[in-house]
Amino acid sequence: MPNDAPRGDEPVVRHDRDDARYVLRGSTSPSPDASSADESAARIPAGGSAPGAAPGLAPGPRPAARRPSRALPIALIAAAALLLLALAAFATSLIIVSQQPEGNPLRDRALFVDPDSNAARAAEASGTEEQRAAAARIAESPSAIWLTPERVQPGTASGVVADTVAQAKTTGALPVFVVYGITDRDCGGFSSGGLPGDEYLDWVDEIAAGLGDRTSIVVLEPDSLALASECPDPDARTELVRSALERFSGTGAEVYLDGGHSAWLPAADMAELLRAAGVDQARGFATNVSNSQATDAEATYAMRISDALGGAHAIIDTSRNGAGPPTDGEWCNAAGLALGDEPHALDDPVVDAVLWVKPPGESDGTCNGGPAAGTWWPEQAEELVANADRLAGGS
Ligand code: BGC
């Protein structure tokens, strides 16, 4: 993954509307609007009349001869009050419904924790006590499962994926996969490789067959679009991503194309690339994959992209962003990173969830002392956990 130098020329400034929306995200308490609607509904006394609700019922002198029987006004008051209560409840439900993210596939779903992850194995393997403890800590949280042609070879992909999906189903958990095998993958970076065009699409077909119609999450080809302009044939790459995306159309997968990150391409450019790759056929896009930009900045970026696309949804990788990005802009096995927010779904119109897409503790490549890309790196795992603990402790 190159995921490289911050190149964003767009200042990340949260505008008011974004702020207003962001306030809602992740909050389990009702929004200000919803709670005030609730209050106003609650202020109408049950069986009584709200102020001004029933004109003509205010006490006042009336000619005795024309005084109506008590039964009629009581019935009218009760009917008016019921009507008001019904209207208030309806209005409240409209407000709440309009704030719910439509069809968020991650909402109320437990995420699959791979018992065979690199972290889980490292927790059992040799190393210092701190390193094993760090691995065990990381292994407890759901991280995405990366499907690369090296690990899941063509000819085996359907079976491997089907097994994982079946395993997840036994606990009712939702598996999150990353498909990472596109031709020329990171165009000469630490994760070079990938499969030639036709073989690649056959391999994606196998993955799609393995997923079947069960719900799963797929992050499609990290960096592929943001990096396209640095690859030999950007249009062919975009077309290949589009073709790969089409392969998932008959499956239960909710696909998020990769959308770079807030310090890389400007939102408008990223939106254009996503559009060209057919994001309208996907649930949306993923940001910050394997990077460490702060969640707020990513949320703002995601909203801008979503606005440009007319409402695509997003997920944000928080696996290593707890301390934000390093000041020197390093992306590859940067020092000083910390685990970020635990994966969880959000009540947000744009951002469906924060997830651990890059498994923390796995190297970005042979840079800054790390082993080959994707290899478990005990020292990094230990540092990520120690820094997260330090931040949680307020120091
Ligand atoms: C590597 C993959 C690895 C993934 C997650 C990528 O940079 O190229 O092999 O699975 O990171 O660690």
Side-chain angles (χ1 to χ4, degrees):
M1 300 256 311
N3 216 328
D4 49 1
R7 268 165 284 162
D9 47 7
E10 185 184 32
V12 176
V13 179
R14 291 161 56 173
H15 53 74
D16 289 349
R17 185 165 153 257
D18 286 347
D19 279 355
R21 282 203 279 179
Y22 188 55
V23 168
L24 296 174
R25 79 189 54 244
S27 161
T28 47
S29 56
S31 74
D33 281 357
S35 64
S36 64
D38 281 335
E39 276 166 28
S40 66
R43 273 199 300 273
I44 301 171
S49 61
L57 295 177
R62 285 170 191 269
R66 301 186 57 191
R67 190 169 182 156
S69 79
R70 290 186 64 82
L72 188 58
I74 288 170
L76 277 175
I77 292 168
L82 279 176
L83 185 66
L84 275 172
L85 279 173
L87 282 173
F90 179 62
T92 304
S93 73
L94 275 187
I95 290 166
I96 291 171
V97 166
S98 70
Q99 286 162 352
Q100 296 304 320
E102 245 178 77
N104 181 349
L106 286 133
R107 193 181 166 80
D108 298 330
R109 292 295 307 266
L111 295 173
F112 178 61
V113 179
D114 181 6
D116 197 32
S117 65
N118 280 341
R121 286 194 221 164
E124 303 296 324
S126 56
T128 66
E129 204 179 313
E130 288 77 15
Q131 286 168 355
R132 287 201 306 277
R137 158 73 196 81
I138 290 170
E140 279 170 9
S141 297
S143 289
I145 297 168
W146 286 59
L147 306 173
T148 64
E150 293 85 352
R151 278 191 196 162
V152 182
Q153 281 151 18
T156 70
S158 168
V160 170
V161 171
D163 285 352
T164 307
V165 171
Q167 200 181 356
K169 189 178 176 253
T170 58
T171 56
L174 183 65
V176 179
F177 295 99
V178 178
V179 174
Y180 192 48
I182 197 167
T183 312
D184 212 8
R185 207 151 46 189
D186 66 355
C187 300
F190 294 112
S191 295
S192 58
L195 293 167
D198 286 350
E199 284 177 45
Y200 171 62
L201 290 177
D202 289 347
W203 180 69
V204 174
D205 273 335
E206 285 185 47
I207 293 172
L211 292 173
D213 58 7
R214 298 211 178 115
T215 312
S216 61
I217 302 295
V218 168
V219 176
L220 191 56
E221 296 299 346
D223 290 351
S224 56
L225 299 172
L227 190 67
S229 65
E230 293 171 40
C231 300
D233 189 344
D235 291 343
R237 169 166 277 242
T238 307
E239 203 41 49
L240 202 49
V241 174
R242 174 189 269 278
S243 302
L245 172 60
E246 280 168 6
R247 303 313 213 252
F248 294 100
S249 67
T251 71
E254 298 281 357
V255 183
Y256 296 83
L257 299 183
D258 189 82
H261 59 74
S262 59
W264 198 345
L265 299 181
D269 295 3
M270 194 64 243
E272 258 330 293
L273 286 162
L274 287 163
R275 195 196 310 278
V279 71
D280 56 327
Q281 302 301 310
R283 171 72 186 169
F285 56 95
T287 78
N288 213 28
V289 173
S290 301
N291 212 281
S292 58
Q293 306 301 315
T295 307
D296 276 6
E298 290 304 297
T300 303
Y301 186 62
M303 287 168 192
R304 287 184 176 160
I305 294 175
S306 176
D307 281 351
L309 292 171
H313 300 273
I315 55 164
I316 296 172
D317 184 2
T318 55
S319 58
R320 301 187 298 185
N321 78 345
T327 46
D328 62 3
E330 178 62 76
W331 68 270
C332 191
N333 292 331
L337 303 187
L339 298 178
D341 276 351
E342 286 281 326
H344 64 279
L346 301 176
D347 279 341
D348 186 86
V350 173
V351 184
D352 285 341
V354 298
L355 297 178
W356 286 7
V357 180
K358 171 78 184 183
E362 294 187 10
S363 174
D364 293 316
T366 49
C367 50
N368 290 319
T375 305
W376 183 255
W377 188 19
E379 288 81 2
Q380 190 203 53
E382 190 181 345
E383 189 190 6
L384 288 167
V385 172
N387 287 342
D389 288 347
R390 224 186 334 272
L391 287 169
S395 56

